[in-house]
Amino acid sequence: MITATTSTRISSRTGSRSNLRTGSGFRSVRRAAWLANAVFWSAFAVLESVNHGWLAGGLALVFLILPDLTFLIGLGDAPRMAKGQLPPRAVPYYNTMHRAVVPLALMVLYTFGPFVAWPPLFAALCGWLAHISYDRAFGYGLRTKEGFQRD
């Protein structure tokens, strides 16, 4: 027989389980994992740059910076935005450039695709993944359609 006290305990226990993913401990572990990922992709980009020359290094550096250039899309709307808000018309571009699945899918295509391998392209993808990983490690994620940071 379930009493009101028992059902309260059950619901509070299940509530605490659902909050495990949003707790500060989980957030710290997730950010540490993203930071380790960022260091890995940065090291890989440097390795590719050393092995394949200045073009690979240049592209890795460009793609390390490129995802944040999507801020320029809505530059004219910036004065009307709240602090920390990205103009809504720039959000789809920003979110696309900040999803790890995009450069990972391109890496798979690069690895198994029918075209000729070009090492500077792989270095650029490493730089892009490093950028995304650093953003996540420092707490910058995707944006809502209104342009605010998602939690």
Side-chain angles (χ1 to χ4, degrees):
M1 182 164 148
I2 297 179
T3 62
T5 311
T6 307
S7 65
T8 304
R9 278 187 287 181
I10 291 170
S11 66
S12 68
R13 270 190 265 157
T14 57
S16 65
R17 283 188 192 142
S18 66
N19 289 335
L20 285 176
R21 292 199 58 170
T22 59
S24 65
F26 182 77
R27 188 174 294 130
S28 297
V29 170
R30 188 174 57 202
R31 283 191 179 177
W34 276 111
L35 185 59
N37 202 18
V39 170
F40 172 80
W41 288 115
S42 296
F44 210 151
V46 168
L47 179 69
E48 289 293 309
S49 302
V50 168
N51 287 336
H52 300 290
W54 66 270
L55 184 59
L59 280 177
L61 188 60
V62 165
F63 273 75
L64 186 67
I65 298 166
L66 184 69
D68 281 342
L69 294 180
T70 55
F71 286 121
L72 298 176
I73 293 171
L75 196 59
D77 299 335
R80 294 184 297 277
M81 299 292 111
K83 184 175 183 188
Q85 183 182 12
L86 185 66
R89 69 184 176 124
V91 169
Y93 302 104
Y94 178 88
N95 284 346
T96 300
M97 291 298 289
H98 284 83
R99 289 189 190 277
V101 72
V102 176
L104 285 172
L106 290 172
M107 276 188 172
V108 169
L109 276 172
Y110 175 86
T111 304
F112 298 109
F115 35 82
V116 177
W118 189 50
L121 175 61
F122 189 78
L125 294 173
C126 289
W128 190 0
L129 279 168
H131 175 95
I132 293 168
S133 300
Y134 280 118
D135 273 1
R136 296 296 197 294
F138 296 130
Y140 301 109
L142 300 176
R143 301 292 184 125
T144 63
K145 64 181 180 177
E146 292 82 23
F148 293 104
Q149 286 285 338
R150 290 185 187 173
D151 288 332

